Amino acid sequence: MGRASSKEDAGALFHSLRSAYAATPLNLKIIDLYVGFSIFTALIQVVYMAIVGSFPFNSFLSGVLSCVGTAVLAVCLRIQVNKENKEFKDLPPERAFADFVLCNLVLHLVIMNFLG
Amino acid sequence: MPILPNMPVLDLVKSFKLKTKQQELLIRVSILCLVYVLAFITRLFSVLRYESMIHEFDPYFNYRTTLYLTQNGFYDFWNWFDYESWYPLGRIVGGTLYPGLMVTAALIYRILHFLRFAVHIREVCVLTAPSVAGSYDNEGVAIFALLFTFYLFVKAVNTGSLAWSLASAFGYFYMVSAWGGYVFIINLIPLYVLVLLITGRYSMRLYVAYNCMYVLGMLLAMQIRFVGFQHVQSGEHMAAMGVFFLLQVFYFLDWVKHMLSDTKLFQAFLRITVTCAVAVGAIALGLGMLSGYISPWTGRFYSLLDPTYAKDHIPIIASVSEHQPTAWSSFMFDFHILLFLFPAGLYFCFKRLSDATIFIVMYGLTSMYFAGVMVRLILVATPAVCLVSAIAVSATVKNLTVLLRSKNKGVQTGSTKGSSSSKASSKALLDQSQPFQKNGAIALLFGAFYLLSKYATHCTWVTSEAYSSPSIVLAARGAHGSRVIFDDYREAYFWLRQNTPPDAKVMSWWDYGYQITAMGNRTVIVDNNTWNNTHIATVGRAMSSYEDEAIEIMRSLDVDYVLVVFGGVTGYSSDDINKFLWMVRIGGGVFPVIKEPDYLVNGEYRVDKGAAPKMLNCLMYKLCYYRFGEMLTEYGKPPGYDRARGVEIGNKDIKLEHLEEAFTTSNWIVRIYKVKPPNNRW
């Protein structure tokens, strides 16, 4: 029946996702944890804004965008460091990390100017 | 190697022969140097013919702000409140301009001073120009910033490096600080990403490049106060955000697909995720637009999509001459042979498709569409058209020279587009035996070089004839062919500067506002910024009313002097009488008491005896034609003959009750009137 099979499907999906993810290397898992943390922080800020209102808007934007920005940059780092990506196999992971740090530096400098 | 006198000459020449790579570098560098010198020289026509001065209207405001920046420093400039324009409202200059141009000029000025070149800031401003020295406008820096950003972004997509994406974010920041046309970038790049996704050319590099550029670029752009929060609130920027979220969903699904080995499970997951994402996105967008939080496209950019919009709804945008749709003659005049080389180049781009050529094709097509809608945007299309045409020319020349150098029979040429007139004959030629192939190739090469040289000549001629006139100084041919210069504008502004009290307020039409504040150094009521339509409509109403009503408006605005531009004596056709109907329309748009049909006779605009009575007695008519009825302007015509309209004026006996004539320039082009104080005793 449709219901049971979709439940089975969901269960099987969940299990296979979980087992596939368990196979990823430790450094990528750490980066994923960091991404999850930033998204979670951004969500908390959005909920807070929904409660107390969005004035001053530039502070809200700078807070949310700093979280989203670091999340996005961490995903880019993960892509560049991941051994399975053939396009980036010539890129040394130190260079990827240095780029990541530089972009984060610029991001946070701009955020600090924008906080108001 | 030492040069000995008994060394054979051939060996000597051979010792200087360069390797191919060095030859190529030498040719490239010398071509670029020649191009640079030519580009610099063609812009100098107006400086050589007239003098080194700022042209037109907008550059005067840019010059004034740059002067302020160099004198008072960046902090004062960024927080400047200008009380000398838009009296009595004032203007928050720091928050309503694009600082890129001024900061660039000030930086060049400081570097030159540091190197001990004592140049005046005006010289730096005159030479920072897009198309002719003196037209110191935003596009001068903006076109460079536009191409720079595009170059950096395409490089970032090609290499997938975060550093290049950061550089392209900074390039975007420079563009946002320079010109309002940055909206073109923030819509073209997402469109490009979308096209790459659809055609399947995406990869991890695209994700890295676009995300880094979008987030950092958006944050940097919001530091410019004039742009403010538009990146998250305005409809024009929503495409970029939409593509951003689409990229996240797309690559997330890609990642899950990579992790799952079973495709059936993945299909189920795909269905769930896609429906959720689309639903959430549609709800968010709908809520945003309905509640008005996301503002719709503003009039200036909406009129690019719907060219009839401005004419019906926003007369002040429709009245600007640069915003008119482009005629075919303008295209031919500006582009010359590029008009047929552009489609040829598109063909070649499609033949060898890569990420970079897709980009240049998209840039070329979108910018050509917009260039067709608004004549000012030809400036944005030009780099793309040049690049694509260059691809056509270089592909053609390469094929032809391959043919020349080949020693084998049956060499296939690619295609010989380029000199399209000889296309049919060239096909016939190439079917014959080899020597004729070579001759045909040589003939076509000569044809191509002839075309290119004609193009360079044409462009120089166009710059010299059409684009090198500073509209503040007019020139004409006198009766015996000698050149006559009309310097009336500057004469009037300097009269204002030297003969009026320092706090005098001048009312004129908004075209002249920037020039009056920059050169006359007096407070104006409205100027070219046109940010307040009601204020401009008030001035328009004053100009179109009878003198008694107008004096009320002028007294309420504390006006001391009124300035009008009149071309009846010289035949100058861009004067206020020709612009008068726009004043009526803009004034009538806010004050329904001003009706355009009152000034027309049978739908016709006339100033002679048959003109409408309201026209013959309104303030603008009186101020322009005061004392003109006794003036003999042309041999054989009655006094009061208006040379710009070609008619004898209708109302020659004009008496002014509340104003008196203060100054009229030597050719009657600018006329200044003083507002008399109210009568002491009746």
Side-chain angles (χ1 to χ4, degrees):
Chain A
M1 278 175 308
R3 276 232 134 185
S5 70
S6 69
K7 259 180 94 170
E8 273 172 23
D9 268 348
L13 186 70
F14 185 63
H15 279 301
S16 69
L17 269 178
R18 204 166 162 192
S19 58
Y21 187 67
T24 56
L26 185 64
N27 56 350
L28 295 183
K29 279 195 193 155
I30 294 177
I31 297 178
D32 290 338
L33 196 63
Y34 179 66
V35 172
F37 163 68
S38 338
I39 302 284
F40 180 62
T41 317
L43 281 173
I44 293 182
Q45 290 184 30
V46 171
V47 167
Y48 179 71
M49 186 272 289
I51 297 174
V52 303
S54 72
F55 182 79
F57 193 57
N58 55 323
S59 311
F60 165 66
L61 262 187
S62 61
V64 169
L65 282 177
S66 78
C67 295
V68 169
T70 52
V72 157
L73 287 173
V75 173
C76 293
L77 175 69
R78 185 192 200 275
I79 288 173
Q80 288 184 332
V81 161
N82 197 353
K83 302 260 184 311
E84 294 173 12
N85 283 332
K86 293 289 164 278
E87 294 158 345
F88 290 111
K89 62 178 165 60
D90 293 332
L91 189 71
E94 290 81 14
R95 166 77 198 271
F97 188 68
D99 282 344
F100 171 73
V101 166
L102 178 67
C103 291
N104 264 321
L105 191 68
V106 171
L107 176 77
H108 288 102
L109 278 174
V110 178
I111 294 290
M112 284 200 290
N113 183 37
F114 200 39
L115 264 178
Chain B
M1 171 155 95
I3 300 174
L4 303 167
N6 53 358
M7 193 185 260
V9 177
L10 208 59
D11 281 348
L12 190 65
V13 169
K14 273 205 181 125
S15 71
F16 284 128
K17 194 174 168 83
L18 304 160
K19 296 196 283 290
T20 315
K21 270 261 176 273
Q22 288 173 325
Q23 274 181 344
E24 187 188 329
L25 186 64
L26 180 67
I27 293 180
R28 273 195 189 186
V29 169
S30 52
I31 288 179
L32 280 176
C33 282
L34 282 175
V35 166
Y36 179 71
V37 169
L38 180 67
F40 189 72
I41 294 180
T42 42
R43 282 162 171 74
L44 288 182
F45 278 113
S46 66
V47 174
L48 294 172
R49 286 179 187 163
Y50 302 97
E51 56 176 87
S52 149
M53 66 178 141
I54 311 273
H55 297 190
E56 305 262 327
F57 302 108
D58 280 353
Y60 273 100
F61 172 70
N62 296 334
Y63 172 60
R64 185 167 159 246
T65 47
T66 316
L67 200 59
Y68 191 89
L69 172 61
T70 49
Q71 285 166 347
N72 300 25
F74 187 72
Y75 186 75
D76 282 336
F77 167 74
W78 199 231
N79 293 303
W80 184 20
F81 179 79
D82 183 23
Y83 50 80
E84 284 178 8
S85 57
W86 293 91
Y87 186 86
L89 306 165
R91 175 184 174 180
I92 309 171
V93 176
T96 57
L97 56 55
Y98 287 106
L101 177 68
M102 297 92 188
V103 170
T104 309
L107 207 63
I108 295 177
Y109 171 78
R110 290 223 189 280
I111 292 176
L112 286 176
H113 269 252
F114 178 72
L115 297 171
R116 300 289 176 259
F117 288 113
V119 295
H120 190 267
I121 183 71
R122 197 190 71 232
E123 317 299 341
V124 176
C125 292
V126 165
L127 291 175
T128 310
S131 53
V132 61
S135 108
Y136 176 55
D137 210 353
N138 290 2
E139 288 90 349
V141 192
I143 300 296
F144 167 68
L146 181 87
L147 286 175
F148 193 48
T149 311
F150 283 153
Y151 168 72
L152 289 172
F153 183 69
V154 174
K155 190 97 186 184
V157 172
N158 279 342
T159 56
S161 139
L162 266 179
W164 282 110
S165 315
L166 181 66
S168 75
F170 273 114
Y172 178 62
F173 173 56
Y174 188 38
M175 178 69 189
V176 170
S177 73
W179 196 35
Y182 73 87
V183 176
F184 182 61
I185 298 190
I186 202 66
N187 280 311
L188 182 64
I189 287 188
L191 197 64
Y192 172 60
V193 168
L194 207 58
V195 165
L196 284 183
L197 283 179
I198 292 174
T199 56
R201 289 176 162 271
Y202 59 89
S203 62
M204 293 299 176
R205 295 174 281 126
L206 181 67
Y207 181 86
V208 171
Y210 181 70
N211 276 320
C212 177
M213 191 238 176
Y214 178 63
V215 174
L216 283 171
M218 176 166 77
L219 264 176
L220 283 169
M222 291 203 274
Q223 307 308 308
I224 308 284
R225 274 156 54 200
F226 196 26
V227 171
F229 301 128
Q230 279 183 1
H231 275 75
V232 291
Q233 285 179 338
S234 153
E236 296 144 11
H237 303 76
M238 285 300 118
M241 191 183 280
V243 169
F244 175 68
F245 285 122
L246 178 73
L247 264 189
Q248 310 304 321
V249 171
F250 200 85
Y251 278 85
F252 178 66
L253 287 174
D254 215 36
W255 180 55
V256 169
K257 182 174 179 184
H258 172 75
M259 282 214 308
L260 286 180
S261 42
D262 189 352
T263 46
K264 253 187 38 151
L265 281 177
F266 174 66
Q267 298 289 4
F269 182 73
L270 178 69
R271 269 205 313 274
I272 304 170
T273 324
V274 167
T275 36
C276 283
V278 167
V280 166
I283 290 175
L285 190 68
L287 269 180
M289 303 224 62
L290 281 175
S291 67
Y293 186 72
I294 297 180
S295 59
W297 282 54
T298 54
R300 242 176 30 139
F301 296 111
Y302 190 71
S303 60
L304 288 178
L305 298 177
D306 177 14
T308 57
Y309 178 73
K311 190 115 214 272
D312 297 330
H313 298 269
I314 316 178
I316 204 166
I317 293 181
S319 71
V320 181
S321 65
E322 307 172 308
H323 291 182
Q324 306 306 318
T326 324
W328 268 110
S329 51
S330 296
F331 271 121
M332 187 62 202
F333 193 62
D334 286 333
F335 285 144
H336 204 237
I337 60 169
L338 300 185
L339 271 185
F340 64 81
L341 284 180
F342 181 66
L346 284 180
Y347 166 79
F348 280 113
C349 283
F350 275 111
K351 259 184 69 168
R352 33 183 145 142
L353 218 48
S354 74
D355 290 352
T357 49
I358 291 184
F359 184 77
I360 196 70
V361 163
M362 287 184 63
Y363 175 28
L365 288 174
T366 45
S367 58
M368 276 303 264
Y369 167 72
F370 289 123
V373 177
M374 192 188 274
V375 76
R376 188 183 184 193
L377 295 179
I378 285 188
L379 203 58
V380 176
T382 308
V385 172
C386 285
L387 274 172
V388 173
S389 312
I391 290 178
V393 171
S394 83
T396 310
V397 169
K398 196 162 103 167
N399 287 332
L400 289 174
T401 47
V402 157
L403 201 58
L404 273 182
R405 282 167 166 239
S406 73
K407 301 213 184 346
N408 311 332
K409 288 185 190 174
V411 168
Q412 298 286 342
T413 59
S415 74
T416 53
K417 287 189 166 64
S419 326
S420 52
S421 54
S422 50
K423 192 174 140 183
S425 53
S426 73
K427 276 240 155 73
L429 275 173
L430 293 164
D431 284 338
Q432 290 172 4
S433 55
Q434 198 190 326
F436 287 112
Q437 264 187 345
K438 285 220 165 152
N439 287 345
I442 294 180
L444 284 175
L445 268 179
F446 271 117
F449 291 138
Y450 172 73
L451 262 183
L452 288 174
S453 60
K454 273 319 230 187
Y455 174 62
T457 321
H458 169 86
C459 288
T460 316
W461 174 83
V462 161
T463 314
S464 153
E465 289 301 315
Y467 290 129
S468 294
S469 73
S471 36
I472 195 163
V473 170
L474 312 163
R477 294 257 162 236
H480 304 287
S482 59
R483 223 158 61 114
V484 178
I485 302 270
F486 298 120
D487 209 1
D488 287 45
Y489 279 104
R490 293 197 294 174
E491 189 186 336
Y493 298 140
F494 280 113
W495 183 90
L496 265 183
R497 194 186 190 111
Q498 289 161 352
N499 293 293
T500 56
D503 61 349
K505 294 141 201 93
V506 181
M507 180 171 96
S508 69
W509 193 233
W510 59 262
D511 288 14
Y512 316 108
Y514 282 156
Q515 286 180 343
I516 296 176
T517 27
M519 278 193 277
N521 201 22
R522 294 288 175 266
T523 311
V524 289
I525 306 291
V526 288
D527 69 17
N528 308 56
N529 188 27
T530 65
W531 66 271
N532 191 333
N533 196 37
T534 312
H535 217 50
I536 296 182
T538 313
V539 171
R541 180 183 174 188
M543 296 293 196
S544 345
S545 315
Y546 294 122
E547 199 185 340
D548 298 328
E549 302 156 1
I551 192 68
E552 300 296 319
I553 300 176
M554 287 196 280
R555 293 229 171 93
S556 77
L557 287 172
D558 281 350
V559 174
D560 298 313
Y561 290 89
V562 182
L563 186 146
V564 293
V565 169
F566 172 58
V569 174
T570 49
Y572 177 53
S573 55
S574 304
D575 65 348
D576 279 355
I577 292 284
N578 277 346
K579 292 180 196 166
F580 181 61
L581 275 183
W582 284 111
M583 299 187 201
V584 170
R585 284 179 196 135
I586 295 175
V590 177
F591 301 105
V593 65
I594 307 282
K595 301 185 203 41
E596 192 182 340
D598 287 346
Y599 301 86
L600 305 170
V601 174
N602 292 333
E604 215 186 301
Y605 180 56
R606 295 167 66 167
V607 294
D608 54 1
K609 272 213 160 24
K614 182 126 198 210
M615 179 72 208
L616 289 176
N617 289 301
C618 68
L619 185 71
M620 176 56 76
Y621 189 95
K622 282 185 162 181
L623 292 182
C624 283
Y625 290 121
Y626 182 65
R627 287 193 308 115
F628 186 63
E630 307 122 26
M631 186 89 173
L632 276 169
T633 52
E634 212 170 293
Y635 183 68
K637 293 277 193 304
Y641 181 74
D642 184 343
R643 287 176 74 187
R645 258 67 53 183
V647 293
E648 187 188 342
I649 61 169
N651 186 0
K652 291 190 191 175
D653 187 23
I654 295 177
K655 296 215 179 347
L656 289 174
E657 196 185 328
H658 302 284
L659 296 136
E660 57 183 5
E661 188 179 0
F663 182 66
T664 298
T665 56
S666 43
N667 295 302
W668 286 54
I669 291 187
V670 183
R671 312 193 66 180
I672 303 180
Y673 292 84
K674 185 168 156 55
V675 174
K676 293 201 286 206
N679 281 330
N680 193 10
R681 297 172 188 227
W682 295 104

